[in-house]
Amino acid sequence: MASTAATKSEQLISRSGLRYRKIRDRIIETLLLAAGLVAVFTTLAIVAILLIESAAFFEHVSLKEFLTDTMWTPLFADAHYGILPLVAGTLTTTIVALLVAVPVGTIIAIYLSEFASYRLRETVKPILELLGAVPTVVYGYFALLMVTPLLQKIFPELPGFNMLSAGLVIGLMIVPYVASVSEDAMRAVPRYMREGSYAMGATRLQTALRVVVPGAFSGLAAAFILGISRAVGETMVVAIAAGMQPNFTFDPREQAATITAYIVQVSLGDLPHGSIGYQSIFAAGLVLMLITLFFNVIGFSLTRKFREAY
């Protein structure tokens, strides 16, 4: 009888423990679902606000003028609402930044993944990632007070505000993102692929360039798209170093305004709510979101197309 009672007691305890685990798992699942829904709701809310405010803007400005006019002077008496100067400034600084970040970040990632010792890699990588913690306003003044004077020694006619110095510093700023994500992707390539390459007589450099890099291409594409998104959305560096003069030019030696710099310029509380100048920042923000979405879709497509399953 005593053993039967003990068995029943153990069964009750196990049932209560199982019930507790089910309740705990359900609570955790609910919290995770809520967190995911918050992220989705936030994204939808941002899109909705941009669309609603942009719709009010386009009630006064035609879409044709917005997409084809080469002048952007919404705060002047003779107002023009052509987004092309801001798009040109944004793309120019982004291209300059990528010309710095992509090769430098990829070379650093190849070295850390394939050539550096374990101790060196574990020392350098955290230091490299610390560059991402530096406030962007510091990078902006670094571009204005350090990089621009150095560039003026090479280009004497370079103005004090220009897209070249801003783009170069943005490139240095996003190198940690590109290098870190790329290095993680290369480290994920299986060891046996390297060993097979070595067995065929390839050197470490040949293995890195012809085996590891192609094997990690989907991760590298994700790193590059992350860098592009970071460069397109950069605000303080371009606001400080590139000037805020909307010029329709792709010459990086000229000063220009980017979409983010214009949003900062207008979002200072000087314009009344509901005015067309105030609504113009939402139209510019919508264009910025579409540009970022375009690059992310390309990155997602490349990642899916070249994904390797090991």
Side-chain angles (χ1 to χ4, degrees), residues 3-304:
S3 61
T4 303
T7 303
K8 291 182 178 180
S9 176
E10 292 176 356
Q11 291 177 351
L12 290 175
I13 293 174
S14 62
R15 289 176 182 176
S16 62
L18 180 61
R19 190 180 301 110
Y20 169 75
R21 286 195 296 270
K22 288 182 177 179
I23 294 174
R24 183 188 62 185
D25 292 343
R26 188 171 300 175
I27 292 174
I28 294 175
E29 291 176 1
T30 303
L31 291 176
L32 294 176
L33 177 62
L37 291 177
V38 167
V40 173
F41 173 77
T42 303
T43 303
L44 294 177
I46 292 173
V47 174
I49 291 174
L50 289 176
L51 291 177
I52 293 172
E53 296 291 343
S54 297
F57 171 80
F58 287 116
E59 290 179 358
H60 302 87
V61 179
S62 67
L63 185 61
K64 180 180 179 181
E65 177 188 357
F66 183 73
L67 295 177
T68 59
D69 195 348
T70 58
M71 294 184 63
W72 178 261
T73 56
L75 307 181
F76 291 11
D78 183 19
H80 289 266
Y81 301 97
I83 195 65
L84 289 180
L86 299 184
V87 174
T90 301
L91 294 180
T92 302
T93 55
T94 300
I95 291 172
V96 174
L98 292 179
L99 291 176
V100 175
V102 170
V104 173
T106 304
I107 291 172
I108 292 174
I110 292 174
Y111 176 75
L112 292 179
S113 174
E114 304 303 315
F115 296 93
S117 63
Y118 175 81
R119 178 176 297 180
L120 179 62
R121 181 171 60 251
E122 295 302 315
T123 302
V124 172
K125 190 173 180 181
I127 296 175
L128 183 66
E129 292 176 348
L130 282 177
L131 293 175
V134 178
T136 57
V137 67
V138 176
Y139 281 109
Y141 283 109
F142 173 73
L144 179 64
L145 302 177
M146 180 66 70
V147 177
T148 297
L150 292 177
L151 291 176
Q152 287 174 335
K153 295 181 180 180
I154 303 175
F155 307 102
E157 298 181 356
L158 188 71
F161 297 101
N162 59 87
M163 293 184 287
L164 182 59
S165 63
L168 291 175
V169 173
I170 293 175
L172 293 176
M173 187 178 66
I174 64 177
V175 161
Y177 299 94
V178 176
S180 179
V181 178
S182 299
E183 194 266 343
D184 290 337
M186 292 179 187
R187 295 282 294 172
V189 176
R191 182 67 185 175
Y192 67 81
M193 295 182 64
R194 297 176 174 85
E195 293 174 350
S197 178
Y198 296 147
M200 296 294 292
T203 63
R204 297 180 69 179
L205 181 60
Q206 291 173 331
T207 301
L209 297 180
R210 299 181 182 180
V211 177
V212 177
V213 171
F217 183 80
S218 61
L220 295 178
F224 299 157
I225 296 300
L226 175 63
I228 292 173
S229 301
R230 187 70 181 83
V232 169
E234 175 50 39
T235 303
M236 294 310 300
V237 175
V238 291
I240 295 173
M244 291 190 178
Q245 183 65 36
N247 293 323
F248 183 54
T249 177
F250 291 96
D251 186 352
R253 295 172 297 179
E254 299 291 334
Q255 63 174 326
T258 63
I259 297 176
T260 53
Y262 171 73
I263 293 175
V264 169
Q265 181 184 6
V266 176
S267 303
L268 299 178
D270 297 333
L271 292 177
H273 184 277
S275 64
I276 189 169
Y278 174 81
Q279 292 168 345
S280 66
I281 66 175
F282 294 96
L286 180 62
V287 173
L288 182 65
M289 186 194 71
L290 292 177
I291 293 174
T292 306
L293 179 63
F294 172 74
F295 286 118
N296 279 275
V297 169
I298 292 177
F300 180 75
S301 301
L302 291 175
T303 302
R304 297 241 354 225

